Amino acid sequence: MTFKATVTVRRRPTILDPEGKAVEHALQSLELRGVARLRIGKLIELHVDAADADAARATVDEACRKLLANPVMDDYTIALEEAGA
Amino acid sequence: MAAHRFGVVVFPGSNCDHDAYHAVKHVMGQDVRFLWHKESDLGGADAIILPGGFSYGDYLRCGAIARFSPIMKEVVRFANAGGHVMGVCNGFQILCEAGLLPGALLRNASLRFVCREVHLRAENTDTAFSNALTAGQVLTIPVAHGEGNYYTDRSALEELEARRQVVFRYCSADGALTPESNPNGSLNNIAGIVNRAGNVFGMMPHPERSMETLLGSDDGIGVFQSVIQALSRRETASVEV
């Protein structure tokens, strides 16, 4: 089966995100009221061929641990769905 | 004294490889060769340099992809066997991504690419990469990076400090550790560190660009001189054994 995985990689909340801060300031200079705590992460999509969802998730999790996220500074979440034909 | 052989790894996107080669060969008078990232042999090198640049376009994270180059398997093996490995700028980022050095290099706090001379204070001069310097000595060496903001969690930072693994810190011209002298927001003004074993070293500033007074500064010589002295001492020690 083929699964589509969507990986979201975020800097840990305790780590300063200067890029997010700069964008937040830009939004505030647009005078959009109430905008705060903007943070920027990464969204990564990939397809995985695997016997079942658990196997697919295990593969994506390994990909995250070894490359897609840096355990020193990132957290990640994985969303999995069956890929359409 | 016989020349030592240095290997300068060349990744797609490396751009300080020729500066490192020039520094080692023409200024320090050592033997040096380039090692293409696809090679799986270090060519008998006594020490390895991972140069600065933008390996793999800095895609994903700086150094994240270079870490999986074929040559890095050999570099990791060499380092684990006690070989001297030095990473500058992108090379430092690669060593962190490879797990050979603790921590990570985040986006500069200013969000700006910083390209200018900075002052560095030699903190620990008992390492293979700083033994030719005197403790507290201030060097003037350029930085050129967008992601040099050294980060690690609190407990790892405390351990790093307790084990004296911080080799260089950003400082003012007279050696004071001030926030203004920190170009990127690094924790504790950290500019360069060694691993626990003392044989793997990374720094964000570029000593290979500070080898000739004609080009502004020759303060980088001390770093290379230190490595050469460390290699010579090790050779002498192994002959005595």
Side-chain angles (χ1 to χ4, degrees):
Chain A
M1 288 170 75
T2 301
F3 295 88
K4 181 187 165 192
T6 305
V7 176
T8 310
V9 181
R10 294 179 176 85
R11 283 286 120 90
R12 297 241 162 77
T14 51
I15 295 179
L16 178 71
D17 173 19
E19 188 179 5
K21 266 280 172 268
V23 174
E24 182 181 308
H25 289 152
L27 285 180
Q28 286 163 351
S29 68
L30 289 174
E31 296 181 0
L32 289 169
R33 293 186 190 283
V35 172
R37 298 171 69 177
L38 187 151
R39 294 182 67 83
I40 293 180
K42 275 205 173 86
L43 186 139
I44 301 163
E45 293 178 338
L46 65 157
H47 281 69
V48 190
D49 284 326
D52 55 40
D54 285 346
R57 184 173 291 277
T59 299
V60 177
D61 193 67
E62 188 177 346
C64 288
R65 281 184 283 112
K66 289 190 173 166
L67 177 62
L68 302 181
N70 180 331
V72 175
M73 55 190 180
D74 296 329
D75 290 324
Y76 60 87
T77 56
I78 300 167
L80 208 59
E81 59 184 294
E82 272 183 46
Chain B
M1 192 182 299
H4 301 289
R5 178 177 294 173
F6 285 71
V8 175
V9 177
V10 183
F11 297 101
S14 294
N15 65 8
C16 301
D17 42 346
H18 282 266
D19 303 65
Y21 186 100
H22 171 75
V24 171
K25 186 174 180 92
H26 301 119
V27 181
M28 305 309 296
Q30 305 297 303
D31 183 14
V32 59
R33 59 193 57 193
F34 288 122
L35 299 167
W36 181 236
H37 72 115
K38 285 190 172 161
E39 289 181 42
S40 54
D41 181 340
L42 301 182
D46 302 309
I48 295 294
I49 298 176
L50 304 187
F54 300 86
S55 57
Y56 297 89
D58 276 350
Y59 293 159
L60 193 63
R61 292 180 307 276
C62 305
I65 298 180
R67 172 198 164 189
F68 293 99
S69 279
I71 193 99
M72 283 305 292
K73 272 204 183 97
E74 292 311 309
V75 172
V76 170
R77 192 172 302 164
F78 178 76
N80 288 338
H84 290 86
V85 179
M86 164 176 166
V88 171
C89 198
N90 188 221
F92 185 10
Q93 296 163 339
I94 294 167
L95 289 173
C96 287
E97 282 283 344
L100 289 174
L101 288 174
L105 294 142
L106 308 179
R107 182 72 63 92
N108 292 348
S110 65
L111 267 187
R112 294 196 183 90
F113 189 96
V114 180
C115 182
R116 62 174 168 87
E117 283 189 336
V118 297
H119 302 293
L120 301 178
R121 193 171 82 183
E123 297 289 300
N124 180 352
T125 53
D126 298 328
T127 79
F129 307 90
S130 57
N131 59 62
L133 305 170
T134 53
Q137 187 177 343
V138 176
L139 308 180
T140 303
I141 288 181
V143 290
H145 60 249
E147 283 93 357
N149 179 352
Y150 184 79
Y151 172 82
T152 189
D153 65 40
R154 185 179 296 266
S155 66
L157 182 67
E158 282 169 6
E159 195 179 312
L160 203 63
E161 294 287 1
R163 293 180 186 275
R164 300 184 65 223
Q165 287 173 250
V166 177
V167 179
F168 292 115
R169 288 186 218 273
Y170 301 108
C171 67
S172 64
D174 57 1
L177 302 178
T178 59
E180 300 74 42
S181 56
N182 183 342
N184 51 34
S186 287
L187 291 175
N188 295 8
N189 282 35
I190 289 173
I193 58 170
V194 279
N195 65 344
R196 202 181 287 186
N199 64 309
V200 179
F201 169 68
M203 68 187 288
M204 287 311 295
H206 289 273
E208 81 285 1
R209 295 188 191 176
S210 296
M211 301 298 286
E212 288 137 324
T213 49
L214 181 65
L215 299 176
S217 159
D218 62 358
D219 285 0
I221 289 178
V223 176
F224 290 94
Q225 188 59 43
S226 297
V227 181
I228 292 164
Q229 285 177 190
L231 292 172
S232 299
R233 275 181 208 156
R234 197 171 61 173
E235 233 163 52
T236 313
S238 62
V239 169
E240 279 167 4
V241 170

